[in-house]
Amino acid sequence: NEIARASRGMFPGNVVCKTAHALALGCLPADLREKAKRGNHLSRGQLERFLNTRVALSETDAKDLAWVAKQAMHWFCISDDPYPALHHVQRALADSYMAIEPERVMAVLPAMWEAIATADGSLPLTFDGYLKVVQLSGMPLPFDYVLADECQDTYPAIQSIIRNSGAQVAWVGDPNQQIYEFNGAENAMNRLQELEEYPLTLAFRFGEWLAELVQPLLYQLGEKEVIRGNPEVETRRALRTLPVRLARGNATLLSPLVKAIRAGKRVHVLGGAEKLHGMLNSAESVMRKHRVQAGLFAGLHSWHEAREKASERDSRALREVVQLLDKYKLSEVRRCVEAVCPTEADAQIVLSTVH
């Protein structure tokens, strides 16, 4: 979302910059779009109550079945399959290590999908749900050209929407940057046949010295092209050695930051702490029962919902933030973020996301 917003100021007015989910939301029929806007988080409690209206379950059975069914629905929604299938359930069971008969899960998925995908259905239309609705509709997109960025990490459902868009498509991606395969994303370029390929070899983020440094590593990964650094960007070697902590994303950066600041260390965050402030603002909005539209807390209406979602196995980043804010007051975490050193020269520890 942040990239899409930043891109809007870089292109002329006839260019639309959207994430795949935002694009899908805009393509929904009006009644489903209104349903999605009312809330798109499917809590485990909601699903347990839904299942109990259809099958007599003990409390433990309801929790286990709800968890596996929700995961199976995720795998169906991000796929390009036309209906829930056994392999979606098997993937969910592999993630859960729960001893549930696949047939029991398969039996509830059709009714569950109907409750999600219909305007008067009793379950929320989730992010992945409205992506699936658009993919199954096969509707063309209202564009002449589509540039699909980061296509090394795209759900099959997104690939299907783009392939059926009716537009001329340019697929842009780097297989060496594929990081979301664990969550069902695929490299779309593996499915493309007999298309012309144009390598983009000039890096704009770093200079020539770093390009020369990483080239041997890229060769080891099978890269055949020569990467060139941007001659207008100066890449500096570190003048002194500092401990550096890398995190997968900003959510997992917050905990080591608070720990270091509370221990009296001077901390610098590469790229600045603005996104951390934004994350805390979103958390405060959810605590005040104001729904957040995007980011880590998107679709959540209350801190109770945030805790419930954080308990799910695939919500590691949210879980770290929720646990941190439950352990310390929001004001204390804000104090730590505000104490970040503005420059690396003043710091004893440097924190950064991998990106």
Side-chain angles (χ1 to χ4, degrees):
N1 280 321
E2 291 177 7
I3 295 174
R5 283 194 293 269
S7 298
R8 291 185 192 117
M10 301 179 183
F11 295 100
N14 62 342
V15 176
V16 176
C17 299
K18 288 187 176 182
T19 64
H21 284 81
L23 181 65
L25 179 63
C27 291
L28 288 175
D31 54 353
L32 285 178
R33 191 159 59 246
E34 285 304 311
K35 180 180 181 179
K37 289 179 179 179
R38 289 196 298 269
N40 42 45
H41 171 60
L42 173 58
S43 71
R44 190 170 61 190
Q46 284 176 303
L47 192 49
E48 287 174 22
R49 291 189 292 274
F50 174 83
L51 294 175
N52 272 316
T53 63
R54 284 154 178 78
V55 188
L57 297 168
S58 68
E59 183 177 348
T60 301
D61 281 349
K63 287 183 178 179
D64 290 350
L65 183 58
W67 197 96
V68 176
K70 184 177 179 181
Q71 289 301 106
M73 186 56 63
H74 163 75
W75 293 114
F76 162 62
C77 286
I78 67 171
S79 76
D80 54 6
D81 297 325
Y83 46 80
L86 183 60
H87 64 90
H88 302 134
V89 177
Q90 291 170 335
R91 180 66 186 264
L93 287 170
D95 290 341
S96 70
Y97 306 104
M98 293 178 182
I100 297 177
E101 297 84 356
E103 294 74 18
R104 291 182 63 199
V105 186
M106 280 297 301
V108 302
L109 290 182
M112 182 178 164
W113 173 241
E114 183 178 1
I116 291 172
T118 54
D120 58 352
S122 59
L123 294 178
L125 182 55
T126 61
F127 281 115
D128 293 337
Y130 58 71
L131 197 68
K132 190 64 179 177
V133 168
V134 173
Q135 184 258 319
L136 289 176
S137 74
M139 67 176 66
L141 299 179
F143 305 111
D144 298 317
Y145 304 95
V146 172
L147 188 150
D149 198 11
E150 303 289 355
C151 73
Q152 79 280 351
D153 270 320
T154 51
Y155 291 151
I158 295 174
Q159 296 176 39
S160 176
I161 291 171
I162 295 172
R163 285 198 305 270
N164 296 323
S165 65
Q168 182 175 332
V169 181
W171 301 84
V172 183
D174 179 2
N176 292 324
Q177 296 186 45
Q178 186 176 11
I179 59 174
Y180 290 112
E181 189 175 9
F182 72 95
N183 201 33
E186 296 180 357
N187 179 6
M189 292 177 285
N190 287 339
R191 294 193 178 196
L192 304 176
Q193 302 294 329
E194 299 180 357
L195 292 182
E196 291 188 68
E197 183 176 314
Y198 299 92
L200 302 175
T201 57
L202 177 62
F204 65 90
R205 286 194 177 100
F206 53 81
E208 295 170 329
W209 172 79
L210 186 56
E212 294 174 2
L213 181 68
V214 302
Q215 189 67 59
L217 302 176
L218 293 174
Y219 284 147
Q220 291 180 30
L221 293 172
E223 181 58 64
K224 297 178 182 179
E225 301 292 338
V226 176
I227 304 301
R228 295 176 296 136
N230 187 341
E232 297 182 3
V233 174
E234 179 187 4
T235 301
R236 297 180 293 106
R237 299 172 189 252
L239 301 179
R240 62 192 180 107
T241 302
L242 285 175
V244 176
R245 170 74 181 267
L246 296 178
R248 187 180 191 91
N250 286 295
T252 50
L253 196 71
L254 199 56
S255 183
L257 186 152
V258 171
K259 183 178 180 181
I261 294 291
R262 286 176 59 84
K265 302 293 185 181
R266 299 190 304 277
V267 178
H268 174 69
V269 176
L270 285 181
E274 289 80 5
K275 291 182 179 179
L276 298 179
H277 283 296
M279 190 188 308
L280 295 181
N281 289 339
S282 294
E284 183 175 14
S285 293
V286 172
M287 290 176 181
R288 295 177 181 272
K289 297 187 177 181
H290 298 153
R291 190 161 71 91
V292 176
Q293 297 289 343
L296 192 66
F297 294 92
L300 300 176
H301 290 78
S302 68
W303 198 244
H304 173 76
E305 279 194 5
R307 286 173 175 154
E308 187 176 58
K309 186 177 180 181
S311 68
E312 298 172 1
R313 186 180 173 188
D314 59 344
S315 299
R316 177 185 171 188
L318 178 63
R319 182 163 55 250
E320 289 202 25
V321 176
V322 168
Q323 290 177 346
L324 186 72
L325 293 174
D326 280 342
K327 184 177 181 180
Y328 305 106
K329 291 182 178 180
L330 177 63
S331 58
E332 171 64 7
V333 178
R334 280 196 192 280
R335 182 193 69 79
C336 293
V337 174
E338 289 167 357
V340 166
C341 295
T343 65
E344 187 177 328
D346 299 325
Q348 296 171 296
I349 298 173
V350 175
L351 299 179
S352 175
T353 62
V354 175
H355 280 82

